[in-house]
Amino acid sequence: MKPEILANRLSEIGIKVLKKDEPLALHSSWKIGGPADVLVNVSDIPSLQKLIVFAKEWNVPFIVIGRGSNILFPDEGLRGIVAKFGKAFASVRTSGTSIVADAGVWTPRLAKIAASKGISGLEHVSGIPGTLGGLIYMNGGSLRRSIGDNVKSVLALDEDTNLIEISRDKCEFSYRSSLFQRKNYVILKACIEGIGDDPKNIKRRILDILAERKCKFPLKLPSCGSVFTNNAEIYEVCGPPGKIIEEAGLKGLRVGGLMVSTMHANFIVNVGGGRSKDAFELISMIRETVHKRTGFWLECEVRYVTPMGKIAPLHEFL
């Protein structure tokens, strides 16, 4: 379906299209990606339900994104609808040591609010440049912590657009994995539980974490964050991915506009004009080199979105 026709049909059901042929590079922390047919800003749950029903009825690819911080979009763009959570999905409410936060809330903002209310437990996500929905999807975190440690429940839309509440034990959290990677659900909000502490102590820990990240990671260049997962079996034998890649002599390796960071080898930075084809080639080279040296295949944390909207770890497409 051509973008113009798609936009008109969405308008007929009351969905306002923000942009047609919108470059996804503008919505990616890696600054990579061709045009999406239409970009829609989601303002409420009924509109989101309409979009999902429409996409199923017309067999149109449909994805929901936050800040695009752990995603590689294709150079060809996406032949369908990209729905982006806006300010209407970014509220945060606290009560005691509990937090109810929307999926579209900026993760550093969530950590800052928690700190101001004397709620500890989210310090480790203070430097992660994404939204809560993506963090829960990936069960992301840092410093050997994951957001799933604090999640009590998640409110989501299931594949039939029903509102469902999923308790923590049903979310199937494990290292960089969750139920939401295996089910076509849309995360709407989450109830998070922390522990009480003096706000000054929490803020001090956050500042220490941010200072460490600034020294350790290449934050001034576009990236997707950590490219490869920290597999326990590989870690026991060889160490973390950054160490393995560095010892393979791959720091500074460049393909097109993408380069293995000279600061941290598990980051691939866009030094100008990077494309998804560069990422595929560079990541393939890294994996093959590491496999020859260690016998292990590194697996990708970053997700690739195909032009038809399928999402999976990038290495599954190699």
Side-chain angles (χ1 to χ4, degrees):
M1 192 181 298
K2 292 182 179 180
E4 192 67 40
I5 296 173
L6 181 55
N8 288 338
R9 286 186 174 162
L10 287 172
S11 179
E12 289 170 2
I13 62 168
I15 302 296
K16 183 180 179 181
V17 173
L18 281 182
K19 299 281 183 67
K20 297 188 289 291
D21 293 319
E22 173 73 351
L24 289 170
L26 300 177
H27 304 275
S28 158
S29 64
W30 225 346
K31 304 303 179 189
I32 296 173
D37 284 350
V38 298
L39 176 72
V40 174
N41 193 14
V42 180
S43 58
D44 53 50
I45 292 173
S47 295
L48 183 55
Q49 290 170 315
K50 277 185 185 179
L51 277 167
I52 294 170
V53 170
F54 174 90
K56 289 178 74 172
E57 286 180 351
W58 290 93
N59 196 28
V60 173
F62 171 76
I63 65 168
V64 177
I65 65 169
R67 297 292 185 100
S69 56
N70 196 46
I71 293 176
L72 176 65
F73 291 119
D75 296 326
E76 305 94 319
L78 189 130
R79 304 285 67 81
I81 305 165
V82 175
K84 192 166 184 176
F85 280 152
K87 292 181 180 178
F89 279 90
S91 72
V92 179
R93 301 190 306 278
T94 64
S95 176
T97 56
S98 294
I99 303 170
V100 176
D102 286 346
V105 67
W106 179 236
T107 302
R109 175 172 170 257
L110 176 62
K112 185 177 180 181
I113 292 172
S116 70
K117 299 294 184 179
I119 303 171
S120 178
L122 296 180
E123 294 92 321
H124 69 102
V125 307
S126 57
I128 297 177
T131 54
L132 178 61
L135 193 70
I136 291 172
Y137 177 91
M138 287 299 302
N139 192 24
S142 66
L143 304 174
R144 302 186 182 278
R145 296 287 307 280
S146 299
I147 189 64
D149 299 337
N150 296 94
V151 169
K152 288 179 66 178
S153 62
V154 175
L155 184 69
L157 288 178
D158 68 13
E159 295 173 356
D160 296 316
T161 74
N162 299 305
L163 278 169
I164 55 171
E165 187 170 6
I166 307 167
S167 61
R168 182 190 182 281
D169 61 322
K170 298 290 178 62
C171 288
E172 300 176 11
F173 288 124
S174 59
Y175 176 72
R176 300 299 175 264
S177 180
S178 74
L179 166 75
F180 306 100
Q181 295 173 19
R182 296 175 285 280
K183 292 283 190 178
N184 196 22
Y185 295 166
V186 178
I187 298 167
L188 300 174
K189 63 178 62 182
C191 182
I192 297 166
E193 185 67 34
I195 56 175
D197 196 359
D198 188 319
K200 291 180 180 178
N201 294 336
I202 302 171
K203 290 174 183 177
R204 191 178 302 115
R205 288 195 291 271
I206 287 176
L207 289 175
D208 289 344
I209 289 168
L210 294 178
E212 182 182 0
R213 290 178 69 88
K214 187 176 180 180
C215 293
K216 190 176 179 182
F217 301 138
L219 304 180
K220 293 183 179 180
L221 289 170
S223 79
C224 67
S226 297
V227 174
F228 299 102
T229 58
N230 200 353
N231 178 283
E233 180 186 0
I234 300 175
Y235 184 93
E236 186 176 344
V237 177
C238 307
K243 175 177 178 287
I244 298 168
I245 297 165
E246 182 174 355
E247 290 178 347
L250 299 178
K251 268 190 171 181
L253 180 65
R254 179 171 175 172
V255 173
L258 296 185
M259 182 181 77
V260 178
S261 171
T262 56
M263 195 172 187
H264 193 296
N266 197 21
F267 279 64
I268 291 176
V269 293
N270 190 341
V271 292
R275 306 186 67 191
S276 63
K277 69 179 185 66
D278 300 336
F280 270 80
E281 185 176 344
L282 185 53
I283 288 170
S284 292
M285 292 169 67
I286 294 168
R287 295 183 77 236
E288 288 167 7
T289 301
V290 168
H291 182 256
K292 286 177 183 177
R293 285 174 55 87
T294 68
F296 292 110
W297 288 104
L298 293 177
E299 295 188 346
C300 292
E301 182 172 328
V302 62
R303 264 47 186 172
Y304 177 66
V305 182
T306 72
M308 297 307 292
K310 179 183 176 183
I311 304 174
L314 190 149
H315 63 268
E316 294 186 9
F317 297 95
L318 297 175

